[in-house]
Amino acid sequence: MKDRLEVTTPTDRQIVMKRSFDAPRQLVFEAFTTPALLQRWLLGPPGWSMVVCEVDLRAGGAYRYVWRHDADGEQMGMGGVYTEIQAPEGIVSTVRFDDPWYRGEAVDTLVLTEERGQTKLTQTVLYESREVRDGVAKSGMEGGVAASYDRLQDILSPKSADRS
Amino acid sequence: MLSDSLNATFAALADPTRRAILARLASGEASVMELAEPFEMSQPAISKHLKVLERAGLISSGQEAQRRPRRLEPEPLAEATEWLERYRELWVANYQRLDALLEELKVAKKKNQGKGRSR
C-alpha cells in the first residue's frame, strides 16, 4: 500500500511535505533521530550514502549529516541545531548546508500525529527568503522530468478545477 | 535568469485566485469576463491578477480585437513544476526507504514483546 507524498508551497518561503506512515509515532520519531536508522533512509539521489550522522538530541544540541557520492567521492554536508524537541510529537531545528546549496539558514519543523497506529507527518522547511527558497531549484540534481499538463493540474489544484 | 523567472512564477502562484485562473486556463483560453465569473470579484480586480500572471510570463493574451482571450504559457510553469517534481521524487524515495525500515522496526518490536519485555 503506497502512501502518497504531498509537497506544496503554501507561502513563498516554505516547502511543506505531508505523508502518512503505517507505524506508531514512537517508531517514526526514532527513525528520525537515531543515527543508525537515519543512515538507512535519509539519502540523496541514487548513488549517495550517508557517511557521517551525528545527533545530539537535546534543545541546543547539534546534528550533522554528510553524504558521499559513491561513484566519485564527492561529499555534501549539512547540519544545524535542535531548537525544540518534543518526543515523539515533533522537532524544530535549523538547517545549513556546508557548500551553500542555498544561502543562510532554514528552519525545519517536523510534526508527527498518530491515529489508530498510523502516523501522519508534516515537515515544513522555512527559508530565509523567497529567493533562497526558489534557489533550491538550482540544486544541480540530476535528471529532469518534463512537466505535462496533468502534473500541472495536480500541482495547481489537487481536486479537479471547476471547468465552466 | 532562471532564479528571477522562478521568483516571479512562485510569487504568481502564491495566490489562490491566480492558481484557480491558471487551472481554468489549463483547459483552454478564456476572456477576462469568463475568468472573473467563478469569483465574486470585479473585472478590474481580476485584471490585476492577470497582470501579475502576464508579467511572470505564465499567460499571454491573444490579439483578437474585442475579446483578447488569455492563454496559458507552459514554459515558466514547466520550470517551476520540474524542480518541485525533482524535490518530490527525492523525498518519495526517502520515505519509501523509511516505510521499509519501519516494517523492520515493527517486527523487531513484536519480537521483543514476545520475549516478555514490558511495553
Side-chain angles (χ1 to χ4, degrees):
Chain A
M1 179 178 63
K2 289 228 153 88
D3 276 286
R4 201 179 172 273
L5 172 63
E6 183 194 294
V7 181
T8 57
T9 52
T11 71
D12 60 6
R13 290 169 59 204
Q14 292 175 318
I15 299 177
V16 179
M17 293 196 292
K18 289 190 177 156
R19 176 56 150 84
S20 290
F21 294 94
D22 184 14
R25 189 160 64 166
Q26 182 58 39
L27 290 183
V28 180
F29 187 86
E30 279 168 25
F32 267 87
T33 54
T34 312
L37 300 180
L38 278 163
Q39 287 173 295
R40 297 273 309 273
W41 69 271
L42 186 60
L43 306 174
W48 290 78
S49 48
M50 198 190 258
V51 293
V52 171
C53 187
E54 292 158 1
V55 172
D56 181 10
L57 194 68
R58 56 182 181 89
Y63 71 93
R64 179 147 177 81
Y65 307 147
V66 179
W67 294 272
R68 188 179 175 279
H69 191 209
D70 300 329
D72 59 15
E74 189 189 339
Q75 291 199 340
M76 183 165 86
M78 77 174 235
V81 170
Y82 296 110
T83 41
E84 271 177 59
I85 298 172
Q86 292 278 353
E89 294 156 25
I91 299 171
V92 182
S93 56
T94 61
V95 187
R96 188 188 289 266
F97 278 80
D98 293 353
D99 187 10
W101 204 33
Y102 54 82
R103 267 194 330 274
E105 234 173 40
V107 178
D108 186 332
T109 304
L110 176 75
V111 176
L112 302 174
T113 57
E114 182 174 332
E115 205 175 315
R116 289 190 291 270
Q118 305 279 305
T119 299
K120 182 167 166 203
L121 169 155
T122 303
Q123 185 156 28
T124 305
V125 187
L126 174 69
Y127 296 88
E128 277 181 3
S129 67
R130 197 184 65 221
E131 288 74 22
V132 170
R133 198 274 310 270
D134 297 349
V136 170
K138 297 193 287 185
S139 67
M141 275 196 257
E142 231 82 301
V145 179
S148 67
Y149 272 73
D150 294 329
R151 288 221 184 88
L152 173 62
Q153 278 287 37
D154 227 38
I155 287 170
L156 291 177
S157 50
K159 303 168 194 105
S160 212
D162 181 33
R163 292 169 196 195
S164 53
Chain B
M1 193 197 169
L2 182 64
S3 95
D4 288 337
S5 75
L6 276 170
N7 284 348
T9 299
F10 281 110
L13 291 175
D15 179 278
T17 304
R18 291 198 284 268
R19 287 198 297 273
I21 291 172
L22 288 173
R24 165 61 184 82
L25 289 174
S27 333
E29 62 183 38
S31 67
V32 181
M33 245 175 66
E34 286 164 344
L35 291 171
E37 205 245 309
F39 308 100
E40 280 171 13
M41 219 179 258
S42 65
Q43 282 197 36
I46 283 285
S47 290
K48 268 195 189 157
H49 285 302
L50 294 177
K51 280 208 177 68
V52 173
L53 291 171
E54 257 170 77
R55 259 185 271 120
L58 291 167
I59 66 175
S60 60
S61 47
Q63 293 307 309
E64 289 170 35
Q66 294 301 324
R67 241 178 125 247
R68 291 194 71 231
R70 299 311 196 273
R71 64 178 70 93
L72 193 62
E73 292 293 334
E75 270 125 45
L77 272 165
E79 250 169 33
T81 59
E82 239 177 76
W83 88 255
L84 267 178
E85 270 302 312
R86 275 183 252 147
Y87 190 91
R88 205 173 168 282
E89 277 166 17
L90 179 68
W91 281 95
V92 162
N94 279 343
Y95 287 146
Q96 280 173 353
R97 281 184 287 259
L98 180 52
D99 280 336
L101 176 61
L102 288 168
E103 286 307 307
E104 277 184 37
L105 294 178
K106 285 194 296 186
V107 168
K109 193 173 174 188
K110 273 210 183 90
K111 280 204 183 131
N112 280 341
Q113 286 171 345
K115 284 181 188 158
R117 293 216 192 143
S118 60
R119 248 189 112 250

